[in-house]
Amino acid sequence: MSGFLEELLGEKLVTGGGEEVDVHSLGARGISLLGLYFGCSLSAPCAQLSASLAAFYGRLRGDSAAGPGAGAGAGPGAGAAAEPEPRRRLEIVFVSSDQDQRQWQDFVRDMPWLALPYKEKHRKLKLWNKYRISNIPSLIFLDATTGKVVCRNGLLVIRDDPEGLEFPWGPKPFREVIEGPLLQNNGQSMESSSLEGSHVGVYFSAHWCPPCRSLTRVLVESYRKIKEAGQKFEIIFVSADRSEESFKQYFSEMPWLAVPYADEARRSRLNRLYGIQGIPTLIVLDPQGEVITRQGRVEVLNDEDCREFPWHPKPVLELSDSNAVQLNEGPCLVLFVDSEDDGESEAAKQLIQPIAEKIIAKYKAKEEEAPLLFFVAGE
């Protein structure tokens, strides 16, 4: 375990009080789940999260008080004499984007968990890129032994499971999470078992969001074309609307199914399952409930005739207005072609495709997303 943690976090962490803690001591303490908390002292939402997270952390670890350094500063071997309780096998590490050391010190002082040292700026940047953090605060949970992401949306864990009864919050099969009645826009309902054998699009959207409404108009046409082609395909709308009235108005424009607005627990579990950080998001699943692509939005806009449905990912993409949003999601390699000749673009794709395929295969074998996206860009 300690080998993975040291590769990820380095050799030393610090407590809120400034004491150094050896990373390998986390293994000796039996830590099984690692939370990475990405934030900044200048962010009001981060300050709010820190307060609620401190109470959550204290309850899970059984600390009598979640004060500064409570339980976080234990030295090597602490807890090794006795098997720790399952809910105590959690540690959180704060990964800051602060640019001012004094502000960082003031912010971490009251944290009962650990933090990456302020000077570790390069390592912090690597973590932000590795896990494609696009907004703060963000909290993700990792298996401390394998490094596999267990939950991408820890903020919902704190809200939905404040006592930690579902620890360690591992992903559940789609069939289990979606189980229950689904609404049709005529007011009738049908059971989720009707989805068996179909490709499924899980559509996270809301009426108040202009990009969502724009995508919905295109998606309605795509849905119709796919169904008319005889494909078994269904879409499930997971609303982020602020009222049931808005949900009903928006859903009336959709020809597919929806999770009932009143079923907030199921909507939240779906958000947690796919680590949704922004809308609109369209996740496309195969008939077994496995993710084909998280970029359904881009695929729908790029393939208006739906000829490439169900949109299995390509190793190399041609950069366009619709998929340029992916440049914000993490490191990208873009090969620019100074030509309007389509043959030049295709030759460029063939040049980098073997590299892309090798990297994608390497990370797929570890059940991880590739750390790099590949594009070819023409005029």
Side-chain angles (χ1 to χ4, degrees), residues 51-69:
S52 58
L53 183 57
F56 177 83
Y57 178 84
R59 284 193 297 271
L60 258 70
R61 292 174 54 86
D63 299 332
S64 57

Side-chain angles (χ1 to χ4, degrees), residues 178 180-185 188-190 203 234-239 247 251 254-261 266-267 270:
I178 197 64
L182 296 169
L183 289 180
Q184 298 173 288
N185 64 8
Q188 297 181 342
S189 64
M190 57 194 302
Y203 183 36
E234 194 50 77
I235 294 177
I236 310 299
F237 171 42
V238 184
S239 173
F247 161 77
F251 184 45
M254 302 176 182
W256 45 74
L257 305 174
V259 175
Y261 185 81
R266 190 163 31 145
R267 290 191 287 124
L270 286 163

Side-chain angles (χ1 to χ4, degrees), residues 263-312:
D263 196 345
E264 186 175 353
R266 190 163 31 145
R267 290 191 287 124
S268 184
R269 287 196 298 270
L270 286 163
N271 273 272
R272 279 168 50 187
L273 179 62
Y274 298 114
I276 303 303
Q277 296 189 5
I279 55 173
T281 295
L282 177 64
I283 310 285
V284 182
L285 311 177
D286 67 17
Q288 289 72 47
E290 299 297 322
V291 174
I292 293 177
T293 179
R294 299 177 58 86
Q295 299 294 338
R297 172 190 184 183
V298 171
E299 300 293 353
V300 165
L301 295 175
N302 272 348
D303 182 27
E304 291 185 6
D305 293 327
C306 306
R307 291 174 182 164
E308 298 181 8
F309 175 83
W311 303 303
H312 288 280

Side-chain angles (χ1 to χ4, degrees), residues 82-94:
E83 183 72 11
E85 291 295 324
R87 293 197 324 183
R88 289 182 62 88
R89 297 177 184 168
L90 167 72
E91 189 52 85
I92 293 174
V93 175
F94 178 56

Side-chain angles (χ1 to χ4, degrees), residues 318-356:
E318 191 159 334
L319 191 62
S320 65
D321 289 341
S322 56
N323 65 21
V325 65
Q326 292 177 261
L327 297 175
N328 296 322
E329 296 181 2
C332 299
L333 187 151
V334 183
L335 179 57
F336 290 93
V337 181
D338 189 17
S339 171
E340 295 182 2
D341 185 352
D342 289 341
E344 290 288 337
S345 293
E346 189 58 35
K349 283 184 187 178
Q350 296 303 318
L351 179 66
I352 61 174
Q353 183 149 328
I355 303 169

